[in-house]
Amino acid sequence: MPNILTDTGRETFLVASQGWKAGSVPATHVPYIIGSMGNVPGDIVFLSNIPAAVWRARGTYLVSKTTASGIADAADTLLAGVGSAGSATAVSIILVNETNASQTSLVTAVIDVASGLPFLPNGGDVNIVWDDGANKILKL
């Protein structure tokens, strides 16, 4: 499946119940690296919809976020100690607008077509280098 901005992600951006940058709406996006769970549906809503067994790593909050021309970008992200030797393959990066619970943390985007994906975790660090092209992380 190609990279997607989830149905709920699009809707919450449009009705301003979610934001990319800090402001009056939550803007606490965090990348998660996940393993295979079959096809990730475009209508996935919350982090709790993704079985914890396929989570490989949780990143830190994205920083230096920009929104010029409706294109979301942020500083590259380092995830420390991803998986361990023999861990299952990591196949996707999901962006989650975190709250205090997985049942209310919105999955905004699923990235499964990118340089370096899929990969086999080995306990080392993973540097996510966001696209420097026209679309950056995502484009509305």
Side-chain angles (χ1 to χ4, degrees), residues 10-35:
R10 285 192 303 273
E11 181 180 340
T12 57
F13 276 124
L14 291 174
V15 300
S17 62
Q18 156 173 230
W20 184 251
K21 293 175 76 172
S24 61
V25 294
T28 54
H29 288 86
V30 175
Y32 280 75
I33 294 176
I34 63 169

Side-chain angles (χ1 to χ4, degrees), residues 16-124:
S17 62
Q18 156 173 230
W20 184 251
K21 293 175 76 172
S24 61
V25 294
T28 54
H29 288 86
V30 175
Y32 280 75
I33 294 176
I34 63 169
S36 180
M37 55 180 269
N39 289 330
V40 178
D43 61 353
I44 197 164
V45 177
F46 298 111
L47 181 59
S48 61
N49 298 134
I50 299 172
V54 302
W55 298 0
R56 299 291 171 256
R58 177 195 177 276
T60 57
Y61 294 121
L62 297 180
V63 297
S64 303
K65 294 185 284 188
T66 62
T67 58
S69 301
I71 299 168
D73 196 14
D76 295 343
T77 305
L78 179 72
L79 284 77
V82 176
S84 60
S87 292
T89 301
V91 299
S92 300
I93 299 168
I94 60 169
L95 289 179
V96 178
N97 194 353
E98 281 194 339
T99 62
N100 58 353
S102 65
Q103 298 86 347
T104 57
S105 294
L106 291 170
V107 174
T108 302
V110 178
I111 301 166
D112 57 1
V113 177
S115 177
L117 286 175
F119 69 93
L120 190 60
N122 62 9

